[in-house]
Amino acid sequence: MPIPLNTPMLLAAILALAVSLVFGAARWRALLKAAGINAKFRWCLAHYAVGYVFFSIVPTVLGGIAYRGFAVSRTGAGSPRAAAVIVIEKLVGAAILCAVLIVAIAGVVLSGAPIAKFQIGVATLALIAIGSMSLMLLARPTM
C-alpha cells in the first residue's frame, strides 16, 4: 500500500534544506574571508551544495570535507589555509550544536514533560563530549 504524499510537508522540508544550504554557504564564505580568501557567494553556495551531496553519498562526512578543502586549495589559497577553514567551520558547527542542545534540554526540563533521566544524561554527556573536543582543538597552537 503506497504511503500518501504530504505535499505541504515535502515543500517545507525542501525549503528548510535550501535555507540551510544558503546559511551554511554564507558561514563558509565569512570564514574564508576571515582567512584572507576572497570567494563570491555564488561560488561558495555551489561548492557547499556539492559538498553536501558528498556528505549524503559517502558514508562519513569526510567526502564533503575533502571536496570543499580541495575546492578552496584550488583557488591558490594552499592546503593548510583550506584545512584551517574547514577545522574552524567544524568547531563553529559544534558550538552551534551545543547551544541547540542546551536550549533543548532546558526546554524539556522547564516544560515539565515526562522525560527519562537517562535521556537527559545522554544529552548532557554528548554536550560535554562535543564541548571538550572543541576546546581541545581550540587550545592547540596555530600554524
Side-chain angles (χ1 to χ4, degrees):
M1 181 172 197
I3 299 172
L5 178 65
N6 187 338
T7 305
M9 290 301 284
L10 177 63
L11 293 175
I14 292 170
L15 179 63
L17 176 61
V19 168
S20 172
L21 288 174
V22 167
F23 278 107
R27 181 181 69 209
W28 190 39
R29 182 172 185 251
L31 290 170
L32 289 171
K33 188 174 184 178
I37 303 167
N38 288 326
K40 294 184 177 183
F41 178 76
R42 187 175 178 177
W43 183 90
C44 289
L45 182 60
H47 289 285
Y48 194 86
V50 172
Y52 184 84
V53 171
F54 277 107
F55 282 131
S56 301
I57 293 173
V58 179
T60 67
V61 298
L62 296 178
I65 291 171
Y67 171 77
R68 287 192 290 138
F70 174 73
V72 171
S73 68
R74 290 195 52 171
T75 65
S79 296
R81 282 190 13 201
V85 169
I86 299 295
V87 168
I88 291 170
E89 181 188 13
K90 291 297 156 194
L91 290 174
V92 169
I96 291 170
L97 179 62
C98 288
V100 168
L101 191 54
I102 288 169
V103 170
I105 291 171
V108 169
V109 170
L110 294 175
S111 72
I115 184 167
K117 290 180 182 178
F118 173 76
Q119 292 168 319
I120 292 176
V122 168
T124 304
L125 286 175
L127 179 63
I128 291 168
I130 292 169
S132 298
M133 287 187 291
S134 298
L135 288 175
M136 286 189 309
L137 286 172
L138 284 174
R140 296 186 79 177
T142 58
M143 295 180 175

